[in-house]
């Protein structure tokens, strides 16, 4: 459930809004649910709202682990 | 109208009901705007129909209504679409498009400047496709009884001797070719809808495919079983229709299907499948395995086919499924769109 | 698409599939329920079934907020939308959800109701501002993921002093439903199917964190892995579940660490708790009434509560008795076991909750998987 | 659709947006309703266009959009009109109508039972006119963006060798023939409009004129300069157009112009001129004086021409006036309708 | 059509024409003004000019209630119609009447105003009943003939207790306008044209009778014949006027005896006087302000007065200075004397009052008579 | 001005309404402005209202007079 996709923050707007980019597709979203957001952060967006920031370090670790599993 | 009428006020004027009432205002609109934009000897004769000579043989006829919203979108407008769409439906029979008719249903209040722009684009699109808009019709309806402008075009063309492309012609083992990337038109349109609005450089692929088709027929001859433009309902609808009509199935390779990265991204954003999204300048060809490479090469040599790809083949299937090996390694079917295409939350 | 394409890599997938194949004990079955429709969709969309050993079976749970909305709530929304002063706004998913007797918002719209599809709650606010003489109602649905945007919308409506705006609230909670499934079917046995582990929600967990699932591990003794929606996430989670089963562990593990932390999104949870409170019970299509599983507006916000504002009452409509959804979303039956499947029940004319959204078990099987039902038979 | 779809609920069902989205619901509507109503080998092949053989020579093409309100009226409905109107525009070139295309723009909420009735009437009208509806299109638009149903038809036909009827062909001295009474269609429509509603037995004259035309061509041959059906704008618009296109004028005899007494009465009631009111089963022919009597006799021998009359002649007039000797003994001109046709109080 | 066709008989017409030809004194001109646009229309529609001796000339008066409506009142109606809550109902004739800068109700409608054409005041009442949430305004125009139906409508609105209904009143009176024309041009001389007699209104007189015209005969010494609208009525009346002139009489004669009696329709007059009262002045397009020539609602009915209800104010717009209407409807000029005629002023794009309705002098000449302007010239 | 035509009264309805016929064309009109109306009477109708009854005797007399003038 709950279709949501990662997007890169490209601009912080007033009123808890921001512009994000998904492979070049720009979309204005609400970031009212997020704290300490910066341009360049990746967020997960759902119905026009950012739900959370993506932790790039954890993402890398998961991928590393996947590669590890896959060569076993 | 010999000076007995104030000039059409193109920059500020609006269509009102008098422009559709068969009176002088309508005659002025037709001669002052449409004839000017489409200008040709047939319209100039001002008859309710237009005559042309044919050499005999096999002809095709088609029609489509255009109700696109918004009327202007990246890469085109309702007018260019109305020419390309109908030219393409003629071309899909392997035919050379010759003549178009154009019917306009206009909501009162429509801006004359927009109508003129659209008509001019249609004229231009027709000229570059080598077809003539030889007859037409104009109706005006009250406000709230249309959506700005609807256009209906019909077209006729002539089929090269011996060619008979039709949806029931596909055979098991035939190859499925697509002329380029999927979903560009539908996503370009959606990006401009107020309730979806997103920023993108995606433009509609709207284009007339008759020349590409001619090159393909040259290369593939009778090895071409059929062609179809995957418009509403996208590639999914087109292949499901053909499967049903030819009583077989298809197996596609997801990896082989060209989709632009930003179109794919917009589809993810909206929860849509690019295989369901409309195209207006693409064609699917079902061809015999013997000619597949030659036809594909001809397509890739054409500016409108540079991203052409072989994406699958026809298989025996009593259930007419369109199966697909996913790029992830599994299998699925590619079904018709269920109901309308709506962005989803889940 | 960063954080997407990496998690759809075929090479890695084949490797992980191989690892699963190596690690499974061929002597026993592995029956894993994915609660979330998002996971069901991923399985079907990418054809994961083709990549798993035969003794690993995925059981599709009730986790689609659209599917579980009962017909009576749809009827209520349709009645509301038919009022001439009302503009009913909702997500596109709602348009085809069946009420009683084949009714739907799409058909109500065709018969004159002013129903508007919105992409975001922010659009609903805009529509209310643009139509001051009309009553704009937002048809709110969704699990914990979708509730915070509704809460923000209500805060915005208050800030903008909108007097023509209200919400028909149908937000529901995931853990009570999981608990209901586990409880109603005995502790280790759901009907005739034993579940060996759970794929836990992805984006719900982004909001609520992992702690709310600890009861699954503790009370019911089941392994659970919180899992992202990309196909590699699922492959990894399945491997993690296989390992827990093999090692007789039953823990809450978090595969989706890039987005989920133990406590979830505190700010979002606070927004929600400011605006919403628990209902005593709420009806789920397929499951029946589930205690403390739904939300309503707090007393301070009742002016935005469409159910009170329009005195909507409560409509209850029995599910189609031939529909096997209740058994399907408990894992007891498969879609093909239902005699309506593919005959009168398809995504265009859904009869039960599992066929409603593309995430429902029946819909996913119809849309992506039904060719497998015929793979044994020869083509005529 | 092989049972994978609930049957169309014709008696209670309504069109919704899914019927126009290129998915299974649309395919079902097309095959279950339109193909059934129009049933022919071309549609059965299910292509986006249809092919047909032609013998060569001169063909004509025409199109019209139909936006009539109400959709059902005494003597017909939008569907019969959409066939007759386009058949007639082909016939006005002296041509034999062969094939039609039909495009539907449907407002969501439109009753399937009405759509079926209209499609069946179209099929029936086409069969009796000897034409085939060989290709079509269906679009569904949101409520409030159309007026129930719009239909666009286009048609092609073949012109007898050597015949070239065109609006610029009239010559001074030519006779003006009309095939019957004026104003029946427009008045029948207006009698059903809620804001005008009056009681009358007047029914629309909607009819296919191709057979009448064939008989006239037989009788008059090359003496027939041109024909036109006086639809929107009525006889007045038609003759003014021809006057302009042929660079001459006309002089009519009011006494000779056939108008039914109840049509005349309704026109008095509404303050309208029957010469401005639309017809859908009448034609004006401009013929050389030599063949006028023979053509008139052929018309009167045909059921659709029994009230035919010679009503005037072409005269030299640099100003392209259509003059009329009134039945009272004076003279006037018959001008274009100014703006829309509105009932007047004065 | 009984009482219609008999009065359009060609044989009798030729006979009467002959009688006129016999009785006129070829040594003098006969210049008769028909006040009514209905008569102007009859003259043009049937081509009467072709049937009269050359020295009998018909001068077209200002008698068309649509034509005389000033541009400012149209602008006021357009502003009103543009209010989203307003449905403006009016007779079809009004749709193309020009306001300032080419505006019209037809164009306002195209730009979004809700303007509805009605055939009768009864339709306006029905529209008000069907649209309780809207404000329905009836745009009332017309001479004494058309005023009683407006009065009945207001009585009906009151009976039905309609609270969403009002009237934008533009009813005007015939005798003050006739008097204004006669007075403003000297007693026996209107500009350069002397008028030798008047064709008096037909249906206005049905309501008001013949007495209100006695001032024409008495004060201004002019013959006047109240005349029906059929062409034979007019032929007879012209003969009657020729005879009065020849016999140096100046009386009010009644040709239209089948419908007009001396006192008019008492019941209709009572209905009107119950609801309406005189305005001090009212502006006529082409004539300017004419004292006591317009009606407004009585104080008891002000709740139905749209001008007060919507605080419409008063808009005054100068007539096009190139337009010769003022001279034309006093008989000083003919339509062809205006340089705008047929060039930028046609019935589709009328510039002045005489081109507005088909009854206006310029419109009638354009629509029916302009071929005569070219009869002398050879075809090129 | 004031387009109005003669019509025969074919039916008297409640609420000061009546049905009239013009050469077979039927129309419901208001007769609120008319007294003593009977079926068969001719009235002059304008914007859906009867303005007056036509006096058949006077009509005949006018026609007689016209014929007289015309043969003179
Ligand atoms: S196929 Fe339809 S009716 Fe059957 S279980 Fe699934 S949803 Fe219910
Ligand atoms: S032609 Fe037009 S501008 Fe000239 S006088 Fe007549 S109405 Fe006025
Ligand atoms: Mg087509
Ligand atoms: Mg097409
Ligand atoms: Mg036409
Ligand atoms: Mg096509
Ligand atoms: Mg088979
Ligand atoms: Mg046509
Ligand atoms: Mg036509
Ligand atoms: Mg089509
Ligand atoms: Mg025509
Ligand atoms: Mg010339």
């Amino acid at each position: 459930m709950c279709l949501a996709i990662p997007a890169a923050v490209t601009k912080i707007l007033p009123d808890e809004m921001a512009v994000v980019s998904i492979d070049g597709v720009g979309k204005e979203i609400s970031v009212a649910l997020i704290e300490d957001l910066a341009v360049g952060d990746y967020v997960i967006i759902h119905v026009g709202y950012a739900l959370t920031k993506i932790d790039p370090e954890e993402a890398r670790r998961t991928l590393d682990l996947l590669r590890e599993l896959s060569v076993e | 109208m010999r000076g007995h009428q104030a000039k059409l006020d193109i920059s500020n004027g609006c269509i009102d009901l008098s422009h559709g009432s068969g009176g002088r205002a309508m005659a002025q609109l037709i001669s002052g705007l449409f004839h000017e934009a489409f200008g040709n000897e047939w319209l100039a004769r001002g008859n309710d129909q237009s005559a042309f000579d044919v050499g005999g043989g096999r002809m095709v006829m088609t029609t489509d209504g255009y109700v696109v919203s918004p009327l202007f979108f990246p890469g085109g407008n309702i007018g260019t679409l109305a020419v390309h769409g109908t030219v393409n439906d003629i071309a899909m029979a392997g035919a050379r498009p010759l003549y178009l008719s154009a019917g306009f249903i206009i909501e009162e209040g429509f801006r004359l400047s927009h109508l003129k722009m659209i008509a001019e684009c249609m004229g231009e699109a027709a000229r570059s496709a080598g077809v003539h808009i030889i007859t037409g019709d104009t109706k005006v309806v009250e406000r709230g009884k249309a959506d700005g402008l609807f256009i209906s075009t019909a077209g006729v063309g002539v089929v090269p001797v011996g060619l008979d492309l039709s949806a029931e012609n596909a055979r098991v083992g035939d190859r499925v070719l697509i002329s380029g990337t999927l979903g560009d038109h539908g996503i370009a349109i959606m990006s401009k809808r107020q309730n979806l609005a997103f920023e993108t450089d995606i433009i509609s692929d709207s284009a007339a495919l008759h020349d590409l088709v001619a090159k393909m027929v040259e290369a593939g001859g009778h090895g071409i079983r059929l062609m179809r433009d995957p418009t509403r309902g996208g590639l999914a609808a087109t292949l499901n229709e053909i499967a049903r009509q030819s009583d077989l199935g298809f197996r596609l390779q997801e990896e082989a299907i060209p989709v632009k990265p930003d179109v794919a991204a917009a589809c993810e954003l909206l929860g849509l499948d690019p295989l369901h999204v409309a195209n207006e300048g693409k064609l699917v060809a079902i061809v015999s395995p013997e000619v597949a490479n030659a036809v594909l090469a001809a397509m890739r040599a054409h500016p409108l086919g540079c991203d052409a790809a072989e994406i699958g083949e026809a298989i025996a299937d009593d259930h007419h499924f369109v199966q697909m090996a996913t790029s992830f390694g599994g299998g699925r079917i590619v079904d018709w769109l269920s109901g309308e295409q709506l962005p989803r939350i889940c | 698409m960063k954080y997407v394409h990496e998690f759809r890599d075929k090479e890695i997938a084949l490797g992980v599939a191989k690892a699963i194949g190596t690690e499974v004990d061929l002597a026993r079955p592995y029956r894993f329920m994915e609660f979330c429709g998002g996971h069901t969709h991923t399985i079907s969309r990418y054809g994961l079934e083709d990549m798993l050993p035969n003794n690993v079976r995925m059981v599709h749970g009730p986790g689609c907020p659209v599917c579980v909305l009962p017909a009576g709530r749809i009827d209520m929304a349709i009645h509301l939308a038919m009022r001439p002063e009302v503009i009913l706004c909702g997500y596109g998913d709602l348009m085809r959800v069946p009420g009683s007797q084949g009714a739907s918002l799409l058909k109500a719209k065709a018969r004159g109701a002013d129903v508007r599809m919105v992409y975001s709650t922010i659009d609903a606010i805009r529509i209310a501002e643009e139509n001051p003489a009309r009553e704009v109602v937002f048809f709110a649905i969704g699990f914990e993921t979708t509730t915070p945007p509704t809460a923000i919308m209500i805060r915005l409506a208050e800030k903008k002093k909108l007097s023509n705006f209200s919400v028909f609230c149908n937000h529901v909670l995931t853990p009570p439903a999981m608990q209901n499934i586990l409880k109603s079917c005995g502790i280790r046995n759901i009907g005739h199917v034993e579940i060996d582990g759970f794929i836990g929600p992805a984006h719900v967990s982004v909001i609520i964190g992992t702690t709310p699932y600890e009861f699954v591990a503790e009370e019911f003794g089941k392994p659970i892995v919180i899992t992202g929606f990309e196909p590699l996430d699922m492959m990894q989670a399945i491997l993690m579940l296989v390992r827990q089963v093999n090692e007789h562990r039953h823990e809450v593990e978090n595969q989706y660490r890039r987005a989920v932390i133990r406590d979830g999104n505190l700010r979002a949870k606070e927004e929600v708790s400011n605006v919403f409170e628990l209902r005593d019970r709420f009806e789920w299509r397929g499951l029946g009434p589930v205690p403390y599983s739904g939300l309503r507006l707090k007393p301070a916000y009742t002016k935005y509560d469409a159910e009170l504002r329009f005195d909507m009452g409560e409509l209850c409509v029995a599910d189609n008795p031939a529909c096997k959804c209740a058994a399907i979303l408990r894992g007891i039956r498969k879609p093909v076991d239902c005699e309506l499947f593919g005959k009168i029940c398809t995504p265009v004319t859904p009869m039960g909750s599992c066929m409603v959204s593309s995430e429902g078990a029946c819909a996913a099987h119809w849309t992506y998987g039904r060719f497998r039902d015929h793979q044994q038979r020869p083509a005529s």
Side-chain angles (χ1 to χ4, degrees), chain A, chain B, chain C:
Chain A
M1 65 211 158
C2 317
L3 196 84
I5 55 167
V9 176
T10 56
K11 196 173 175 187
I12 312 272
L13 302 175
D15 293 330
E16 308 185 302
M17 300 295 285
V19 178
V20 295
S21 165
I22 311 125
D23 259 15
V25 172
K27 176 84 190 156
E28 203 176 305
I29 63 162
S30 167
V31 291
L33 300 170
I34 306 287
E35 276 164 79
D36 304 324
L37 195 69
V39 167
D41 285 350
Y42 274 76
V43 290
I44 291 184
I45 61 169
H46 170 66
V47 297
Y49 286 78
L51 297 182
T52 190
K53 289 193 279 190
I54 293 177
D55 183 331
E57 193 48 38
E58 286 290 357
R60 197 188 45 72
R61 254 184 241 139
T62 302
L63 272 174
D64 287 348
L65 189 60
L66 274 162
R67 286 199 198 94
E68 232 169 85
L69 293 170
S70 118
V71 290
E72 263 168 23
Chain B
M1 302 306 298
R2 297 175 53 92
H4 289 320
Q5 177 85 21
K7 260 194 66 151
L8 280 177
D9 178 4
I10 298 282
S11 32
N12 301 307
C14 282
I15 290 290
D16 62 50
L17 294 174
S18 68
H19 290 106
S21 304
R24 199 178 265 114
M26 187 174 104
Q28 184 185 31
L29 179 72
I30 291 171
S31 65
L33 197 151
F34 290 121
H35 287 195
E36 204 139 300
F38 304 157
N40 60 46
E41 54 188 296
W42 293 273
L43 284 179
R45 290 186 84 185
N47 290 314
D48 282 355
Q49 72 297 111
S50 281
F52 49 88
D53 295 314
V54 291
R58 201 152 178 77
M59 295 189 73
V60 291
M61 180 175 194
T62 190
T63 193
D64 265 329
Y66 299 86
V67 298
V68 65
S69 169
L71 298 173
F72 295 89
F73 49 82
N77 60 51
I78 189 172
T80 52
L81 210 58
V83 170
H84 294 156
T86 292
V87 162
N88 290 348
D89 276 342
I90 296 168
M92 291 309 106
R96 186 163 61 87
L98 296 173
Y99 303 106
L100 302 188
S101 67
F104 297 83
I105 296 175
I106 316 174
E107 186 182 8
E108 66 173 332
F110 196 70
R111 295 182 61 135
L112 280 171
S113 58
H114 289 176
L115 189 61
K116 185 174 161 74
M117 206 182 307
I118 288 166
E120 282 171 352
C121 290
M122 285 182 81
E124 178 52 34
R127 276 186 295 277
S128 21
V131 296
H132 304 282
I133 300 170
I134 61 171
T135 187
D137 182 55
T138 307
K139 294 288 186 301
V140 178
V141 297
E142 285 195 298
R143 185 174 276 270
K145 303 203 161 164
D147 191 16
L149 173 66
F150 300 142
I151 302 180
S152 292
T153 46
V156 293
V158 58
V159 188
V161 178
L163 205 63
D164 180 18
L165 309 188
S166 187
E168 73 274 20
N169 290 354
R171 297 288 165 265
V172 172
D174 282 350
R175 301 294 190 260
V176 181
L177 309 180
I178 178 90
S179 66
T181 56
L182 290 182
D184 302 34
H185 175 73
I187 295 297
I189 294 285
M190 282 185 250
S191 74
K192 295 301 164 200
R193 294 237 172 100
Q194 194 202 11
N195 58 347
L196 300 180
F198 49 88
E199 277 301 316
T200 165
D201 298 329
I202 302 165
I203 63 168
S204 167
D205 58 346
S206 179
L209 298 170
H210 61 290
D211 190 55
L212 173 64
V213 166
K215 298 295 187 303
M216 291 168 66
V217 169
E218 222 173 280
H222 294 273
I224 300 180
R225 313 290 197 198
L226 72 103
M227 290 187 263
R228 196 167 274 194
D229 54 340
T231 53
R232 262 183 304 174
L235 180 69
T238 300
L239 289 179
N240 274 283
E241 273 177 36
I242 297 170
R244 179 163 58 89
Q245 292 175 269
S246 286
D247 192 22
L248 41 67
F250 288 104
R251 188 178 292 118
L252 308 181
Q253 301 300 323
E254 190 176 23
E255 279 167 335
I257 300 175
V259 179
K260 292 203 178 99
D262 44 2
V263 171
C267 284
E268 294 279 347
L269 178 70
L270 301 172
L272 303 175
D273 187 333
L275 302 185
H276 287 146
V277 179
N279 311 280
E280 290 291 346
K282 298 291 152 42
L283 62 82
V284 183
I286 312 294
V287 303
S288 77
E290 293 76 26
V291 304
N293 286 337
V295 174
L296 191 59
M299 291 166 85
R300 289 193 173 148
H302 193 279
L304 292 175
C306 49
D307 295 322
E310 180 180 323
I311 60 169
E313 65 178 328
I315 58 174
D317 183 352
D318 209 32
H319 293 88
H320 309 152
F321 288 130
V322 179
Q323 298 183 31
M324 184 162 78
T326 72
S327 48
F328 192 70
R332 54 171 276 208
I333 56 176
V334 175
D335 202 14
W336 299 80
L337 178 65
S338 292
E340 246 216 317
Q341 192 167 48
L342 300 169
R344 299 184 299 112
I345 64 157
C346 70
Chain C
M1 291 178 72
K2 197 169 174 193
Y3 303 122
V4 171
H5 290 139
E6 308 92 290
F7 294 92
R8 295 181 187 172
D9 186 282
K10 189 180 188 171
E11 299 308 308
I12 302 179
L14 293 174
V16 180
K18 208 168 132 202
I20 294 170
T22 313
E23 297 195 21
V24 288
D25 174 358
L26 290 174
R28 60 154 299 164
Y30 297 78
R31 288 144 306 189
F32 301 137
M33 173 179 273
E34 82 280 2
F35 181 84
C36 262
H39 289 125
T40 309
H41 186 259
T42 299
I43 293 169
S44 307
R45 166 74 180 74
Y46 295 95
L48 298 199
E49 285 184 47
D50 294 340
M51 308 175 76
L52 296 176
N54 281 337
N55 60 329
V56 176
R57 183 182 146 210
M58 301 308 296
V59 176
H60 311 312
C64 161
V66 175
C67 304
V68 297
L69 199 64
R73 303 289 293 183
I74 293 290
D75 283 359
M76 287 165 71
I78 290 172
H79 289 165
L80 187 62
M82 279 297 191
R83 296 171 71 125
E85 76 274 27
V86 167
I87 300 174
L88 186 76
C89 303
Y91 298 125
D93 315 56
L94 285 166
M95 297 298 288
R96 272 188 304 270
V97 183
S100 57
Q101 285 154 17
S104 71
L105 287 171
L106 190 75
K107 287 186 186 157
K109 183 169 179 294
R111 291 185 192 269
D114 193 346
V115 179
R116 315 258 180 111
M117 193 203 68
V118 296
Y119 174 77
S120 166
T121 56
I122 290 167
D123 301 328
I125 292 284
R126 179 182 45 74
I127 291 171
E129 290 178 305
E130 287 171 3
N131 294 274
R134 304 283 298 280
E135 279 286 335
V136 175
V137 183
F138 180 71
F139 187 171
I141 54 160
F143 289 130
E144 292 86 342
T145 326
T146 318
T147 310
T150 308
I152 300 283
M153 172 184 68
I154 290 166
R155 211 185 63 188
L156 256 175
E158 183 140 272
K159 193 173 147 200
K160 289 173 180 273
K161 300 195 172 53
L162 289 180
S163 61
N164 65 327
F165 184 77
S166 57
V167 175
F168 176 39
C169 182
N170 294 275
H171 285 299
V172 287
L173 302 176
T174 317
M178 291 181 82
Q179 195 163 16
N180 176 275
I181 288 180
L182 287 165
K183 265 193 182 149
S184 70
C185 305
I187 290 182
R188 296 193 140 253
N189 190 322
I190 300 174
H192 303 97
V193 176
E194 192 161 336
I195 294 294
D196 303 298
F198 286 88
I199 299 280
H203 295 132
V204 163
S205 308
V206 164
I207 303 298
I208 67 174
T210 63
T211 47
Y213 306 108
E214 285 165 5
F215 75 94
V216 176
E218 286 161 20
E219 280 179 45
F220 298 94
K222 295 289 180 190
I224 175 162
V225 177
I226 308 302
T227 310
F229 280 150
E230 294 305 329
L232 272 187
D233 291 324
M234 287 207 71
M235 295 295 284
Q236 181 180 16
I238 289 166
L239 182 55
M240 289 165 79
L241 282 174
V242 166
R243 287 179 176 175
Q244 281 207 45
V245 170
N246 289 353
E247 296 159 14
H248 307 288
R249 287 185 288 121
H250 43 86
E251 294 163 16
V252 177
E253 290 182 311
N254 182 5
Q255 181 278 335
Y256 196 30
R257 307 182 81 91
R258 64 187 183 277
V260 173
I261 56 175
R262 188 161 192 275
D263 291 332
N265 182 331
L266 295 176
R267 184 157 168 180
K269 289 199 288 188
E270 196 192 323
E271 293 280 0
V272 169
S273 67
N274 283 343
V275 173
F276 294 104
E277 65 180 20
L278 279 177
R279 295 182 193 248
D280 290 348
R281 56 165 63 212
F282 193 80
E283 176 153 341
W284 293 52
R285 201 191 284 246
L287 292 185
V290 177
Y292 303 108
S293 68
L295 297 177
R296 69 168 168 236
L297 291 164
K298 277 191 167 169
Y301 294 95
T302 46
K303 65 180 162 184
Y304 296 115
D305 189 332
E307 289 181 71
L308 303 173
R309 189 178 183 119
F310 298 100
D311 199 13
M312 289 171 70
E314 189 72 42
L315 291 175
C316 285
V317 177
D319 286 341
N320 187 328
C323 170
K324 299 266 181 302
C325 275
I328 287 172
L329 43 78
R330 287 180 172 87
I332 304 170
R333 293 262 189 275
K334 291 180 170 184
V336 284
D337 299 334
C338 173
E339 58 191 14
L340 306 185
F341 180 80
K343 296 191 183 67
I344 67 166
C345 185
T346 70
V348 182
T349 53
M351 294 288 131
S353 69
C354 303
M355 193 61 95
V356 167
S357 126
S358 65
E359 296 197 345
C362 295
H365 185 65
W366 167 265
T367 305
Y368 296 114
R370 72 185 191 278
F371 73 102
R372 292 195 185 85
D373 305 338
H374 307 285
Q375 272 177 336
Q376 287 6 321
R377 302 189 219 163
S380 73

